[in-house]
C-alpha cells in the first residue's frame, strides 16, 4: 500500500493547489437569479429577463478554441478564464448548447471506482458539484440521493469490497448495508420469491447525487460568457489546421478560426474530430440507452443499481422512473439502440419491482459514449502540439466539472495536473492502463 | 435491431452474435514494430462514422467467425462473408 500512502497527502495537496490557482473576478454577470429577481420579474410581467449569454460572431483568432459546447467544453472555457485568466477563448458547438450527449445521460454523479487514480478524480468532481450551483449562481438542482447497489453474486460482492477499500483510503464512504437495510430503506421493495439471481447484500454510497444535466451546460455557458469567453453555436468543425506538427486553428462551417491551442471536448464523436487532426484514439463509440416512465409520486429516494443485471433505476425530481442498462454491444453513431436492451433491462427491473409492471414508458433515447479501451478518461496532450483531448472514458456527466477543470489546466500549462497524471494517452504504450467497469462495463 | 445474414446460417437476429472489433490486419512481423506502432495496432481504432468492416462471432448459431460490413450511422448491413482462416 505504499502507493496509496504516497497519494493520500497528495490528494490534499492537489486540492490545495487547485484552490490557489486564481479566482479572477467576473467581468459582467448580466442577471442574477434569486427569489428577489424572480419576484421582481414576475411583477414586471417577466419582460425584464435577459438572454443568459451573448451569441457572438466568431473572431478570426483566439488563444484557445474548445471544440464541443456540452458540459465538458463549456466548463473548460469557464475554468480557463477563471483559474488561468485566459479569456480570449471560443467554445464552438455544432448544434445548440448541451444538445449533444450532455442532454442524453442519466444525471448520476457517483465515485464508486476501483483503481487508485480514479477515486480522487471522481471524488474531486463530486466535491465541485456540491459547490457548483452557488459558484455559478445557477441552480443545478443537485440532489444528494445516495446510491444502493444490489449485489447479486459473490463476484459482485468481492468487487464492491475492493471498491470500498480503495474508496476508504481516499475518505469516500461506501458501506455494506445488508438485505434487511435495503428493505427498510425501500418499503416498496419486496425481494421476489424466486429470483433469477439471489440478492446477497447491498452496498451504499451516501454521497451519490443527481443533478439537472442541461443546467450544468447552461450554468457553465452563462459564467464562461460572463468571463468574456465567446460561446458560438451552430458552428461545426470540419477540419483541423496544422503546420509542422503544431495545431494552428480549426476550419468550421462559419469560416476558419485561428488558434494557438485547441481542446477537444466532444462526446460521441471523439474519433471523428481526432481523425481531422490526423490522430487515432483507443476509443469506440457505443450507444447507451435510457428510458423514462410516466411521472408518479415519490416512491423511493436512492439511485438503485442491480449489479447482476447491469442495470439501474432512479426516480427523477419530476417523479418519472429513469431506467437504463449496459451499452449496446457494438459501435454506433446512430443515437439509437436495439430493442433487446430495452426488453432485457425492463424485464430485470420488473423482476425486482413487479409493482411497476403497469406503468407506461413515455420517452426513450440513446446517448453516445466514447468508450475508452480501459474505461477511464483520457485528458491528455497528443502527438499534435497544441491539441488536447478530453474523452470521458465511459460516462462523462459525473466527471464534468473536474474533467473540464483539468482540461483547462492542461491547456493553460501544457502539463497535466497530478490528479490526471495517470489519464494520459501515453498510458497505452506504457502498459499502464487504468481498467474500470461500472454499469456500462463492456470488457 | 440488426438482422445479420450469416454466410453459413442465413439471416439471424443480432442477439445470436458477438461484435468483436473492426478488421485490422495483423502486422506481418510484430517484432519489427516500434512500441507506438504496436500500441496503435492493439488499442487504437478508426471507429468510423459510416461503413466499417468488423469481425463478428456467431456465438449462438454456427459458432464461426464472420466479417460484417456495417454502417455505424444507419445500422445497414451491406454484406457478410466467412472470416479468412
Amino acid at each position: 500500500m505504499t502507493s496509496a500512502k504516497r497519494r493520500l497527502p497528495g490528494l490534499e495537496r492537489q486540492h490545495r493547489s487547485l484552490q490557489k490557482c486564481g479566482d479572477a473576478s467576473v467581468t459582467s454577470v448580466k442577471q442574477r437569479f434569486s427569489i428577489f429577481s424572480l419576484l421582481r420579474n414576475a411583477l414586471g410581467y417577466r419582460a425584464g429577463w435577459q438572454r443568459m449569454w451573448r451569441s457572438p460572431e466568431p473572431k478570426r483568432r483566439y488563444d484557445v478554441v474548445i471544440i464541443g459546447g456540452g458540459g465538458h467544453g463549456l466548463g473548460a472555457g469557464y475554468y480557463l478564464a477563471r483559474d488561468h485568466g485566459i479569456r480570449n477563448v471560443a467554445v464552438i458547438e455544432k448544434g445548440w448548447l448541451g444538445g449533444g450527449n450532455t442532454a442524453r445521460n442519466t444525471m448520476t454523479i457517483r465515485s464508486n471506482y476501483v483503481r487508485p487514480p480514479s477515486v480522487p478524480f471522481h471524488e474531486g468532481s463530486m466535491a465541485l458539484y456540491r459547490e457548483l450551483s452557488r459558484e455559478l449562481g445557477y441552480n443545478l438542482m443537485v440532489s444528494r440521493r445516495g446510491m444502493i447497489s444490489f449485489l447479486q453474486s459473490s463476484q459482485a460482492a468481492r468487487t464492491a469490497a475492493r471498491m470500498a477499500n480503495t474508496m476508504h483510503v481516499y475518505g469516500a464512504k461506501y458501506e455494506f448495508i445488508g438485505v434487511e437495510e435495503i428493505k427498510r430503506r425501500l418499503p416498496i421493495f419486496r425481494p421476489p420469491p424466486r429470483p433469477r439471481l439471489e440478492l446477497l447484500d447491498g452496498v451504499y454510497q451516501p454521497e451519490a447525487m443527481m443533478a439537472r444535466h442541461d443546467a450544468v451546460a447552461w450554468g457553465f455557458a452563462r459564467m464562461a460568457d460572463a468571463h468574456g469567453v465567446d460561446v458560438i453555436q451552430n458552428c461545426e468543425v470540419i477540419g483541423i489546421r496544422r503546420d509542422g506538427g503544431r495545431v494552428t486553428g480549426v476550419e468550421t462551417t462559419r469560416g476558419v478560426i485561428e488558434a494557438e491551442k485547441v481542446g477537444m471536448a466532444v462526446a460521441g464523436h471523439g474519433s471523428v474530430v481526432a481523425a481531422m487532426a490526423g490522430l487515432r484514439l483507443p476509443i469506440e463509440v457505443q450507444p447507451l440507452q435510457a428510458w423514462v416512465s410516466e411521472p408518479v409520486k415519490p416512491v423511493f429516494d436512492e439511485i438503485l443499481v442491480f449489479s447482476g443485471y447491469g442495470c439501474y433505476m432512479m426516480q427523477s425530481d419530476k417523479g418519472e422512473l429513469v431506467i437504463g442498462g449496459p451499452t449496446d454491444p457494438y459501435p454506433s453513431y446512430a443515437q439509437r439502440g436495439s430493442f433487446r436492451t430495452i426488453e432485457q433491462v425492463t424485464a430485470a427491473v420488473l423482476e425486482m419491482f413487479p409493482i411497476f409492471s403497469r406503468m407506461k414508458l413515455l420517452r426513450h433515447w440513446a446517448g453516445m459514449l466514447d468508450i475508452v479501451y480501459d474505461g477511464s478518461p483520457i485528458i491528455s496532450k497528443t502527438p499534435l502540439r497544441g491539441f488536447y483531448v478530453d474523452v470521458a472514458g465511459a460516462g462523462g456527466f459525473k466527471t464534468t466539472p473536474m474533467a473540464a477543470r483539468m482540461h483547462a489546466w492542461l491547456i493553460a500549462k501544457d502539463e497535466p495536473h497530478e490528479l490526471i497524471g495517470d489519464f494520459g494517452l501515453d498510458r497505452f504504450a506504457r502498459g499502464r492502463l487504468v481498467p474500470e467497469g461500472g454499469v456500462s462495463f463492456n470488457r | 435491431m440488426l438482422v445479420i445474414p450469416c454466410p453459413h446460417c442465413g439471416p439471424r437476429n443480432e442477439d445470436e452474435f458477438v461484435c468483436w472489433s473492426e478488421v485490422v490486419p495483423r502486422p506481418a512481423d510484430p517484432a519489427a514494430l516500434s512500441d507506438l506502432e504496436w500500441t496503435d495496432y492493439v488499442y487504437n481504432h478508426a471507429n468510423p462514422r459510416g461503413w466499417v468492416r468488423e469481425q463478428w462471432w456467431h456465438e449462438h448459431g454456427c459458432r464461426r467467425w464472420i466479417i460484417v460490413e456495417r454502417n455505424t450511422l444507419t445500422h445497414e448491413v451491406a454484406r457478410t462473408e466467412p472470416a479468412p482462416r
Side-chain angles (χ1 to χ4, degrees):
Chain A
M1 289 309 284
T2 51
S3 74
K5 282 213 169 84
R6 183 171 55 78
R7 283 163 191 277
L8 196 56
L11 183 62
E12 295 291 314
R13 196 175 64 243
Q14 283 158 6
H15 286 179
R16 267 205 310 279
S17 74
L18 274 174
Q19 271 153 18
K20 263 190 302 191
C21 65
D23 193 9
S25 62
V26 181
T27 45
S28 66
V29 181
K30 289 182 194 66
Q31 57 192 342
R32 293 179 191 280
F33 300 113
S34 68
I35 186 72
F36 303 110
S37 70
L38 199 64
L39 272 174
R40 195 170 58 245
N41 281 287
L43 293 173
Y45 294 96
R46 294 183 292 280
W49 291 120
Q50 294 162 7
R51 287 179 184 273
M52 289 210 292
W53 45 80
R54 296 164 295 137
S55 192
E57 283 297 311
K59 288 194 280 186
R60 261 202 50 165
R61 184 174 174 77
Y62 289 94
D63 293 342
V64 180
V65 166
I66 306 283
I67 306 170
H72 282 245
L74 293 161
Y78 166 65
Y79 287 119
L80 272 171
R82 198 204 71 169
D83 289 355
H84 307 286
I86 302 174
R87 288 157 192 257
N88 188 20
V89 175
V91 180
I92 58 178
E93 161 60 41
K94 73 171 176 182
W96 62 92
L97 298 186
N101 295 295
T102 298
R104 291 168 173 268
N105 61 70
T106 49
M107 320 185 291
T108 309
I109 301 161
R110 56 181 177 85
S111 69
N112 54 331
Y113 284 83
V114 79
R115 306 284 167 187
S118 311
V119 178
F121 180 73
H122 288 90
E123 273 292 303
S125 199
M126 290 175 73
L128 289 178
Y129 260 120
R130 280 192 283 271
E131 296 300 318
L132 207 54
S133 292
R134 194 173 319 153
E135 185 184 325
L136 298 177
Y138 198 80
N139 189 359
L140 309 183
M141 296 167 74
V142 173
S143 169
R144 180 174 163 272
R145 301 294 193 91
M147 177 176 69
I148 301 174
S149 296
F150 288 54
L151 303 176
Q152 296 167 299
S153 67
S154 53
Q155 171 63 43
R158 274 199 300 277
T159 307
R162 191 175 158 195
M163 254 181 210
N165 287 337
T166 309
M167 291 167 71
H168 178 73
V169 170
Y170 293 101
K173 281 204 197 100
Y174 202 50
E175 304 155 346
F176 284 83
I177 57 174
V179 177
E180 287 311 308
E181 178 66 11
I182 292 182
K183 286 196 272 189
R184 196 188 66 76
R185 279 169 199 254
L186 300 171
I188 200 166
F189 172 64
R190 286 203 202 119
R194 292 177 56 205
R196 264 194 296 156
L197 300 173
E198 198 184 348
L199 177 56
L200 302 176
D201 203 343
V203 62
Y204 179 58
Q205 182 173 21
E207 293 296 330
M209 300 177 277
M210 284 164 50
R212 172 102 165 89
H213 44 187
D214 302 315
V216 175
W218 297 335
F220 273 132
R222 175 172 169 270
M223 281 311 253
D225 181 79
H227 279 84
V229 171
D230 280 0
V231 177
I232 301 164
Q233 305 179 61
N234 298 311
C235 183
E236 182 174 356
V237 169
I238 48 179
I240 308 270
R241 294 224 156 169
R242 291 172 275 165
D243 183 21
R246 206 187 152 84
V247 74
T248 60
V250 292
E251 292 164 19
T252 75
T253 48
R254 295 174 68 174
V256 174
I257 304 174
E258 291 173 20
E260 201 167 310
K261 294 176 177 178
V262 174
M264 182 187 94
V266 296
H269 278 83
S271 294
V272 176
V273 175
M276 294 176 194
L279 302 171
R280 280 157 52 88
L281 298 177
I283 59 181
E284 277 186 330
V285 59
Q286 292 184 342
L288 182 69
Q289 304 188 77
W291 46 100
V292 159
S293 77
E294 60 192 315
V296 290
K297 289 194 174 172
V299 282
F300 61 95
D301 297 327
E302 289 86 356
I303 299 155
L304 309 179
V305 179
F306 312 110
S307 63
Y309 303 133
C311 59
Y312 56 87
M313 175 169 66
M314 63 194 105
Q315 192 171 22
S316 74
D317 291 333
K318 287 181 280 185
E320 303 154 328
L321 300 180
V322 183
I323 300 168
T327 55
D328 278 42
Y330 45 82
S332 166
Y333 285 88
Q335 294 198 324
R336 63 173 188 271
S338 280
F339 194 71
R340 75 160 171 180
T341 306
I342 307 173
E343 189 179 15
Q344 286 172 356
V345 170
T346 307
V349 165
L350 291 185
E351 182 192 312
M352 306 301 282
F353 291 88
I355 193 171
F356 295 139
S357 62
R358 299 284 184 89
M359 289 179 70
K360 296 199 165 40
L361 295 180
L362 288 193
R363 291 182 288 126
H364 155 262
W365 68 91
M368 284 149 61
L369 301 182
D370 279 337
I371 305 270
V372 175
Y373 187 89
D374 59 0
S376 287
I378 301 173
I379 303 172
S380 178
K381 298 202 265 192
T382 64
L384 179 63
R385 267 178 298 138
F387 187 75
Y388 307 87
V389 293
D390 167 12
V391 178
F397 178 67
K398 66 181 94 60
T399 64
T400 300
M402 189 50 99
R405 204 168 180 189
M406 292 291 113
H407 193 195
W409 175 290
L410 178 69
I411 291 172
K413 300 190 187 283
D414 198 39
E415 281 300 324
H417 188 277
E418 62 184 294
L419 203 53
I420 54 162
D422 294 309
F423 294 140
L425 209 45
D426 59 342
R427 70 177 184 261
F428 298 95
R430 293 166 61 216
R432 292 182 60 87
L433 275 59
V434 189
E436 287 290 355
V439 166
S440 52
F441 187 80
N442 68 330
R443 281 180 198 281
Chain B
M1 190 67 95
L2 304 180
V3 176
I4 296 169
C6 173
H8 309 290
C9 316
R12 295 298 183 98
N13 192 310
E14 71 172 63
D15 277 14
E16 298 182 4
F17 295 85
V18 175
C19 174
W20 195 248
S21 167
E22 60 193 54
V23 175
V24 186
R26 190 181 164 84
D29 184 8
L33 298 184
S34 70
D35 282 359
L36 280 179
E37 287 166 333
W38 182 245
T39 305
D40 186 60
Y41 166 68
V42 174
Y43 295 112
N44 291 346
H45 300 275
N47 191 25
R49 188 174 189 264
W51 291 103
V52 63
R53 271 169 68 83
E54 291 172 325
Q55 309 171 70
W56 288 62
W57 181 38
H58 197 177
E59 184 184 12
H60 302 296
C62 57
R63 299 182 69 80
R64 281 194 263 192
W65 287 89
I66 61 172
I67 307 286
V68 177
E69 262 184 59
R70 189 173 69 86
N71 192 312
T72 57
L73 192 58
T74 63
H75 287 182
E76 285 170 274
V77 177
R79 59 195 206 91
T80 59
E81 60 192 66
R85 290 205 167 261

